[in-house]
């Protein structure tokens, strides 16, 4: 009745678009409803942007395979309305990232549904991304903020797949969005770093120049763990390939870490510490890469020598008892005293039989470098380690051990 009288009421339209089951899902109803939506003016379509996107997503398979014309006419008026009615970006919390917002936005919801559809799953590098969809995605990337950032984040969440299917389109349309410090760049990296890493050397050759920028940005800090994994795996791949397909060289990674947010550097050390615990015979072991990393890559600048970095470096040394002495020799000049619970007490430190002479001496060297004067500020679990060192012939008579005991008793 409202429509016949020339009145528009958003709520009944929303209920109709979101209704499921029965006649609402019939082919005839889909066609009729799609054409009715297309006849609304752009003001009304903009008001219904969210329910229209949900309607398209709920019926994406049947619309793309059986009624592509219906999909196309609704898509066209929907995109036109979003372009004409750009609203000011809503307030975003500092801890919120674009992919979280994007997947729940009208634009991001559509992209996710399309990329998850049977049509896209059947694509291959031989077929490329169809021109029609390249054009549609281009329209999404040309939308006003914040719709554009939502589109970027959800597309780059599937960047590995998109580059596999349509590398030229990705290089032309998505790569430029990764550059500089902007909302588009933040959205790009929020999306890409939210998913598991896949090794695609050519993809990362195109992104290589942006790693120093993202590593020192707030986005890099928020995704420090994921970025650290990407950087280290690309560096390892480059070393294994002996430069034939180098993506990140020793010099590249060192320069990135020098200027990176500290959270990124700490996550690099944490990743190496975690992966170094795996058996040396394992294909995924990182033990053989630890010494070259510390010798050739870890920054020497005084700005990097923080208590937090010292704690992670010592944890790395303690996590590989057989290489602890070699690691200690490298890292001792960089260490600063630290306090609190940042030190991980490896079980080998409490096993008198496992403490070789060289290992015990290295443990004492490291503890002497990192333990502060105030014994109350020592990390938890130090006392049992000192007890083991007192029983070990290589360290029992060392005056530094006596000094540490005196320091602890004084407080």
């Amino acid at each position: 009745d409202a429509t016949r009288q020339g009145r528009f009421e958003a709520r009944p339209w929303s209920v109709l678009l979101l209704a499921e089951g029965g006649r609402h899902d019939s082919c005839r109803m889909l066609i009729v409803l799609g054409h009715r939506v297309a006849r609304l003016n752009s003001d009304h379509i903009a008001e219904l942007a969210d329910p229209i996107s949900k309607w398209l997503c709920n019926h994406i398979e049947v619309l793309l395979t059986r009624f592509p014309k219906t999909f196309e006419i609704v898509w066209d008026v929907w995109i036109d309305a979003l372009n004409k009615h750009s609203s000011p970006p809503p307030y975003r919390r500092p801890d919120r990232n674009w992919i979280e917002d994007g997947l729940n936005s009208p634009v991001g919801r559509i992209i996710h549904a399309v990329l998850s559809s049977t049509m896209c799953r059947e694509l291959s590098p031989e077929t490329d991304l169809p021109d029609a969809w390249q054009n549609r995605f281009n329209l999404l990337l040309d939308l006003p903020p914040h719709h554009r950032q939502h589109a970027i984040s959800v597309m780059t969440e599937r960047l590995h797949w998109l580059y596999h299917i349509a590398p030229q389109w990705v290089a032309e349309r998505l790569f430029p969005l990764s550059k500089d410090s902007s909302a588009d760049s933040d959205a790009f990296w929020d999306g890409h770093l939210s998913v598991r890493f896949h090794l695609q050397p050519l993809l990362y050759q195109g992104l290589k120049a942006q790693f120093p920028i993202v590593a020192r940005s707030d986005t890099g800090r928020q995704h420090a763990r994921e970025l650290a994994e990407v950087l280290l795996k690309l560096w390892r791949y480059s070393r294994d390939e002996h430069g034939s397909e180098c993506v990140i060289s020793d010099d590249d990674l060192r320069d990135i870490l020098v200027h990176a947010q500290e959270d990124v550097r700490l996550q690099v050390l944490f990743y190496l510490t975690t992966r170094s615990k795996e058996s040396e015979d394992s294909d995924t072991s990182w033990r053989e890469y630890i010494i070259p990393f510390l010798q050739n890559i870890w920054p020497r600048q005084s700005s990097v020598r923080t208590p937090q970095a010292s704690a992670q470096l010592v944890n790395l040394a303690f996590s590989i008892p057989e290489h602890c002495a070699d690691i200690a020799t490298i890292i001792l000049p960089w260490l600063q005293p630290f306090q609190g619970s940042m030190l991980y007490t490896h079980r080998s430190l409490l096993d008198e039989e496992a403490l070789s002479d060289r290992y015990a001496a290295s443990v004492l060297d490291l503890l002497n470098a990192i333990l502060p004067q105030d014994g109350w500020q020592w990390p938890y679990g130090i006392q049992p380690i000192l007890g083991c060192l007192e029983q070990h012939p290589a360290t029992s008579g060392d005056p530094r051990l006596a000094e540490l005991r005196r320091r602890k008793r004084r407080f």
Side-chain angles (χ1 to χ4, degrees), residues 170-182:
V170 168
E172 292 174 355
R173 288 308 315 257
L174 292 181
F175 279 1
L177 300 172
S178 70
K179 298 178 180 179
D180 304 321
S181 298
S182 64

Side-chain angles (χ1 to χ4, degrees), residues 17 56 62 99 146 152 167 230 265 276 289 298 319 343 398-399:
L17 289 165
L56 289 171
V62 66
I99 187 62
H146 54 293
I152 294 168
V230 170
R265 288 194 293 268
S276 66
Y289 299 91
W298 185 253
S319 68
L343 184 66
D398 195 305

Side-chain angles (χ1 to χ4, degrees), residues 372-376 378 383 386 390 399-411:
Q373 290 293 322
D374 185 350
W376 285 108
W378 285 9
Q383 288 281 61
L386 295 181
E390 285 181 336
R400 295 175 300 171
L401 184 58
E403 167 59 21
L404 290 175
R405 278 295 193 190
R406 183 193 64 77
R407 206 184 298 172
K408 181 64 176 174
R409 284 195 298 268
R410 188 171 59 188
F411 296 94

Side-chain angles (χ1 to χ4, degrees), residues 23 44 69 98 100 171 210 216 265 279 313 338:
R23 67 184 183 89
H44 298 157
K69 290 295 183 183
W98 282 108
E100 292 174 344
Q210 309 314 315
R216 62 175 178 259
R265 288 194 293 268
S279 170
L313 287 166
F338 61 84

